[in-house]
């Protein structure tokens, strides 16, 4: 095979891969995880099923890659860094709450949770997409350096403690009331605080 033929093949392969991922994202948003099928994705993308199986062993693997490519969530969420860790965490949670308060957002996250039950990689990438991994750890490290929270604060567990109630409320279809984000942050950060300012939402 000549170099030009190899390049054309690579371009075609990448175009097919992108078409498959975009088709998956469209169908996932429209139908949810339970009604997503490899056959449907193949038809939507204009490729054969074997082309999909060449790269992805299952629909959950497809969904995981869609998350990685940023095709399912509107952007990569993460806490800001204004110098006030409490305010930043409240703002971060409220952004996530705003996303899931929309019918399409709630349906999307619930479908992703269903996909995560089948494929743990989906869960890891969903968690990362919401900013609950490296971005959150970095924010806590800055807060420790600024003496806002204790040096021995378990930063990974803090993120999990903040995200857990959100997932529970979504699964139980319990409404997120005003002030929920601030109350969650205060409960989780309270024992770790070294003088964090408390806003009116506490």
């Amino acid at each position: 095979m000549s170099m030009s033929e190899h390049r054309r093949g690579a371009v075609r392969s990448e175009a097919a891969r992108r078409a498959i991922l975009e088709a998956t994202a469209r169908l996932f948003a429209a139908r949810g995880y339970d009604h997503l099928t490899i056959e449907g994705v193949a038809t939507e993308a204009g490729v054969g099923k074997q082309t999909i199986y060449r790269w992805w062993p299952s629909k959950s693997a497809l969904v995981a890659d869609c998350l990685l490519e940023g095709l399912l969530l509107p952007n990569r969420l993460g806490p800001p860094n204004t110098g006030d860790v409490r305010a930043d965490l409240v703002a971060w949670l409220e952004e996530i709450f705003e996303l899931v308060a929309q019918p399409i957002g709630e349906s999307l996250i619930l479908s992703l949770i269903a996909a995560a039950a089948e494929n743990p990689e989906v869960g890891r990438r969903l968690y990362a997409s919401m900013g609950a991994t490296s971005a959150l750890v970095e924010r806590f490290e800055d807060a420790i350096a600024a003496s806002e929270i204790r040096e021995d604060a378990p930063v990974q567990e803090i993120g999990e403690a903040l995200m857990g109630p959100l997932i529970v409320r979504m699964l139980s279809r319990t409404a997120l009331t005003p002030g929920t984000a601030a109350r969650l942050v205060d409960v989780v950060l309270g024992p770790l605080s070294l003088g964090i300012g408390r806003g009116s939402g506490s």
Side-chain angles (χ1 to χ4, degrees):
M1 178 185 294
S2 69
M3 185 64 70
S4 61
E5 289 173 329
H6 178 76
R7 282 198 296 268
R8 284 197 298 272
V11 170
R12 284 196 297 270
S13 293
E14 178 55 29
R17 176 184 172 279
R18 189 69 186 180
I20 292 166
L21 289 174
E22 290 176 351
T24 301
R26 287 193 299 271
L27 293 177
F28 187 95
R31 303 177 184 176
Y33 183 71
D34 288 344
H35 299 289
L36 182 71
T37 65
I38 295 296
E39 291 83 355
V41 172
T43 300
E44 180 77 8
V47 301
K49 286 194 299 182
Q50 289 309 311
T51 300
I52 296 177
Y53 283 121
R54 186 185 310 150
W55 290 316
W56 297 279
S58 65
K59 68 177 185 179
S60 62
L62 262 174
V63 170
D65 267 7
C66 282
L67 269 174
L68 185 65
E69 297 279 343
L71 295 174
L72 293 179
L73 292 176
N75 50 44
R76 193 176 183 84
L77 303 171
N81 192 341
T82 66
D84 182 337
V85 69
R86 178 187 181 276
D88 292 344
L89 292 176
V90 171
W92 169 62
L93 283 178
E94 286 180 341
E95 185 177 8
I96 295 175
F97 290 174
E98 183 178 351
L99 170 66
V100 302
Q102 303 167 21
I104 190 170
E106 180 186 45
S107 175
L108 174 63
I109 300 299
L110 287 173
S111 289
L112 287 170
I113 292 171
E118 180 178 315
N119 185 344
E121 186 62 23
V122 175
R124 285 189 286 271
R125 293 183 182 180
L126 172 60
Y127 196 56
S129 295
M130 287 186 166
T133 52
S134 58
L136 194 58
V137 169
E138 182 178 338
R139 182 63 192 90
F140 285 134
E141 288 174 346
D142 288 345
I144 290 171
S147 298
E148 289 189 281
I149 58 176
R150 290 179 357 210
E151 289 186 7
D152 61 347
V155 295
Q156 190 66 43
E157 287 79 2
I158 295 173
E160 293 170 357
L162 291 172
M163 292 297 294
L166 170 64
I167 302 301
V168 170
R169 284 172 181 254
M170 289 184 62
L171 291 174
S172 63
R173 302 299 177 98
T174 303
L176 293 162
T177 57
T180 296
R183 288 191 293 272
L184 279 175
V185 170
D186 288 339
V187 167
V188 173
L189 283 190
L192 305 171
S193 171
L194 293 177
I196 300 172
R198 297 172 68 87
S200 59
S202 60

